[in-house]
Every structure is written in structure tokens, then in C-alpha cells.
Amino acid sequence: MIEFNNVTKKYSVGTQALKGVSMQIEDGEFCFLVGPSGSGKSTIIKLITGELKPTSGSVHVNGYSLERIRKREIPYLRRTVGVVFQDFRLIDNMTVYDNVAFAMRVVGAKNQEIKDRVPYVLDLVGLETKSRRHPSELSGGEQQRLAIARALVNNPSTIIADEPTGNLDPARSFEIMTLLQEINNLGTTMLVVTHEKDLVEQFTNRVITINDGLISSDRMDGHYEYENQ
Amino acid sequence: MKINNLGYLLKEGFRGIFLHGFMSFAAIFVTVACLLIVGSFSVLMYNVNIMVEELNQTNEVMVYIDETLSESDARSIGTKINLIENVQMSTFKNREQALEEFIADHQGDEAFNGVEAEDLRHRFVVTLMDNSQMEKTVAEINQIEGVAKITAAYELAEGFSTLQKILQIVSIIVIAGLLVVSLVIISNTVKISVYDRRDEIAIMKMVGATNGFIRLPFVVEGFSLGMLGASIAFGLEWLLYDVLVKQIETMDSLQMFQFVPFQQLLIPMIATFAATGFFVGVLGSWSSIRKFMNV
Ligand SMILES: Nc1ncnc2c1ncn2[C@@H]1O[C@H](COP(=O)(O)OP(=O)(O)OP(=O)(O)O)[C@@H](O)[C@H]1O
Ligand SMILES: [Mg+2]
């Protein structure tokens, strides 16, 4: 579960990125986070992953209180939250298989677990036949699938995606969003930041709209509204 | 740490070394050079310390007592001598003992045949704690009533003590300076490794690897560089020492210098080199990762 209570965030240079955000995302939910550029979406994600601390208010993520989390607990928080970015962030000198296995290895998984789990996850995202390729030998959509596989492999209860379709054409975007929906159907909480109005409306999930550091609407009907205001 | 991780960490650590072959070579080379100089200064200091110690034992101050004093009066001056700060020990010798030694020293020398005990003075053989202070201490002993004359070899004693002190100071400066140089070089080598792999580090942080886990391959890399440098330097030092000592011992003008065989230095040298290699390697890598850890 993700819970924000009256959260503000002021960057050291003085930008007030969040001005009092309260929201609650239950386990198993699929939630879009939309809003204009600079409204504070990425800031919210960084607060969830413990990259930033709130200036005031409280942030609870999967049982951790982020406003007072200790540095050495952060890795354990992050194992409960898989993250997918617009720019994929893959390691090109590793194969597709190793990119995913790497994420397991560095949190101390056993070799046998890795051998069992990686093919399963690659199969889930549709990359089972490309496990020996390198990321540069994949299309943009495939690279994003790989990034999703990596976010998924340690079985986090939550996946957060910051504009996961920003670099993809509409058809690829739809495929990626469908994949995220399928993963959500398997029980993973999903928070997806996006600019793509059409996609949001196609998927009719909960939509939280943020405007200038404040939540301006929170609807359950897939309605994408900030451009109308 | 689970055993299958250990394999991974070692592999990653060594990968760094080969990936940056030239930098690693440079780091090892500099570490070897530094340790060689550090080691040479250490063994030199060790040998000079031993020489000075031996010199202290042979370098005695003779304090002759006024011949008008009786033996028991002369003997009582010993307590006053012992009160002087720099005095380590004083041994009393009466005329008869002095004569015996005199005869033993000048056996077969006709010129001294007629010497009697009455012609000699009672005396104290005094050893000092710090020979570089000999002149000052002798002056103090001279103040004591009943002391007639003092003989002492200032130059040799003070010369050696001064040499020892200068050597100590220079050694400490050189050793400290070179350790810092090795540290910086290893740290920079590992920094390149860290920089090369900053994307991997960012991903490790993102998926929840602990700082210790992220750091370890780099510490292994720094440790290996330090230890490799230390081992090479140790071998070279041994070789160099044996060659040099043999050279010095065959030179007549340097007969007064006595060197201990390297075997006698083996354990302290191994300990010093290993500790330095470890310290330089681990600390160097540790410091270079720190700022990349706050992601
Ligand atoms: N590291 C930072 N230091 C200072 N100000 C920052 C920093 N990161 C973001 N900001 C500011 O905080 C505000 C919110 O930024 P944020 O990245 O959360 O926006 P966003 O909603 O993700 O925008 P976009 O849709 O363009 O990604 C912006 O005004 C931005 O300039
Ligand atoms: Mg953003």
C-alpha cells in the first residue's frame, strides 16, 4: 500500500514541487498519475522509492515510513517496489537474460532461484526467444519489456513506471500498457505516470491528476482531465 | 554472505582489474615503488637502531675520583651520579680492579711495568640512557664534589644518536608521504572502475542491493591491487637487501656497520607489507566508492 498524508516537497534550490499531497493506493490497484510537465509526478515517484525525503507530511510504502526510514532499510524497501523508466536503463554489455538475472543476483538470490525465475519472467513479457541478445539488438518496445521483466523479477508487490511509453509509438505503447495491466491482474500494485490521454482513457483505471504540486482530481473512471481545465 | 555470492563478488572484483589493465598496472607499479622505499627505510631504521643500541653498551663514560678520597668516600659518590637524570647505570671500580684491567690491556708493554694501584684513581663506569645528551650529562657529573676527571667519546656517540634521530624523522615523513601516494593511486584506479560501472551501480541501488554488496567488488579490486603490489615489493625488497648487505660487508671502510640477515626481519616485514597492502587497497577503494553510494 502507498499512502501520502499532506506531503510537501521543497527542493534545496527553493522549488516547491509538492504543496500538500494526500492519496492512498491500495494493494492490487492499477492507478494512473497524470499532470502537466513540472507538476510533481517524478517527485512523487522519488518519494516512494526513498530517493528523496518529504519536507513535511508522511509517506508510507509497503510497511515502511519513508519520512523516517533509516538509510540501511532503503534497499529492503526497494525490493518491494519495482521501477520502470522511460529510458529503460538497461546494461548493454549484458545479455537480455543477464540483465534480468543481475537484478536477482545483486539482492542475494540463489543460482537455482535465478535459473527458475528468469525464464518465467522473460516468457511473461514475451522475450523468451531473445534471451541471448543484447539490449541494443532489441526494438524500443522490446527494451521496455526487458526493463519491465527486470522490475518484476524480484517479485515486488508494487511496480512504478515513470512514463514507460514515452519513447514508443502508439501501437507499442498500447502493448506495453496491456502488459502492465496483465501484471496487475496477477496481483501487483501498479502506479503508472503517463502523458498519453488516449491510453488512459482506453484502460479505464483510477486516474490521479496532479497540477502544480497539488492533486486536482482523483477519479475511478479513466477520465483524463487536466487538458480540459 | 552466501557462498554463491562470494564467487560473484570475487569475479566482479577481478574483472575490474583486467578491464583497466593499464591503470591497474600503474597502481601496482606505484604501490611496489612506494613499498620498496618504505621497506628500505624501515630496515635501515631497524639496523641503525640495533647499531646504536650496541654502541650504547660499549660507549661508556669514565668518571675518575679525586685520589685524596678514601675508597668508601669514593664509592658513596655513586649515589650522586645515579641521581642525574640521563644516567642509566654506574659501576664502581677501585684502584686494584682498575690496575688489573690496565695490566690486561697493556700486556707485554714494558713502558707500563712499574705502574702500581696507588698510581691510579678509583673510578665509575657510567652508561647513559641517551648518548646524544652526553656532553650535558658529563658537565653535570663534573659538578659533583670529588670528581676529578671525566673521559668520554662525545663525537661518535652523539653523531650516531643524531643520525638515528634524523633517520627516524625522515623515515616517518617518507613513509607517510608514500603511503598517501599509494592510497591516492589505488583510490583513483578503483574510482575509474566505479565510474565505468555507475549505471550498474544505479541499477543495483534501484533494485535494492545493499551498500555493502555494491561496495564489495570494488573493495576486492582495491584489496587485490594492494596485496599484489605488496607481494611484489616484498620479494624485491628481500633480493635488494641481500645484495646490498653483501656489497657493504665486503667494503673495508664500512666494516663498522653490522646488518642483521633478512631472515631475521621476515615476520615483521611480511606483517608490515601485508598490513600496508591491505590498508592502502581497502581504504583506497572504500573512499572512492563513497560518493557514488548516495543514489
Ligand atoms: N533535483 C531538483 N532540484 C530542484 N528542483 C527540481 C528537481 N527535480 C525537479 N525539480 C522541480 O520540481 C518540480 C516538479 O518536478 P518533477 O520532475 O516532479 O515534474 P514532473 O511532473 O515529473 O514533470 P515531467 O512530466 O516533465 O517529467 C519542477 O518545477 C522541477 O523543476
Ligand atoms: Mg517526470
Side-chain angles (χ1 to χ4, degrees), chain A residues 36-43 45-46 86 162-163 193 195:
Chain A
S37 185
S39 56
K41 304 181 297 293
S42 293
T43 303
I45 287 187
K46 286 176 184 158
Q86 178 176 359
D162 196 351
E163 306 201 29
V193 172
H195 276 114

Side-chain angles (χ1 to χ4, degrees), chain A residues 71 75-76 78-79 83 85 89 91 93-94 102-103 105-111 150 154, chain B residues 2 4-5 8 11-12 15 199-201 203-211 213 294-295:
Chain A
K71 252 203 174 127
Y76 301 96
R78 288 186 182 160
R79 291 176 195 189
V83 190
F85 293 98
R89 303 197 186 173
I91 303 169
N93 59 28
M94 291 185 193
F102 177 72
R105 213 170 275 136
V106 300
V107 298
K110 293 199 183 76
N111 284 334
R150 184 183 61 197
N154 287 323
Chain B
K2 289 180 213 104
N4 58 313
N5 287 333
Y8 163 79
K11 206 179 84 197
E12 289 301 300
R15 196 178 77 155
D199 295 342
E200 273 173 54
I201 293 175
I203 290 163
M204 285 194 228
K205 299 228 58 150
M206 188 176 87
V207 300
T210 59
N211 283 354
F213 188 94
N294 291 322
V295 180

Side-chain angles (χ1 to χ4, degrees), chain B residues 256-274:
Chain B
M256 62 181 296
F257 295 105
Q258 291 284 311
F259 288 93
V260 298
F262 197 79
Q263 278 82 346
Q264 197 178 318
L265 300 171
L266 217 54
I267 289 170
M269 284 309 271
I270 288 176
T272 308
F273 276 66

Side-chain angles (χ1 to χ4, degrees), chain B residues 48-60 127 131 134 153 155-161 256:
Chain B
V48 168
N49 282 345
I50 287 182
M51 282 184 234
V52 168
E53 221 163 81
E54 277 172 5
L55 205 70
N56 278 353
Q57 278 160 12
T58 55
N59 202 41
E60 301 152 341
T127 53
N131 278 323
M134 187 178 274
E155 276 98 37
L156 193 62
E158 294 196 349
F160 253 96
S161 292
M256 62 181 296

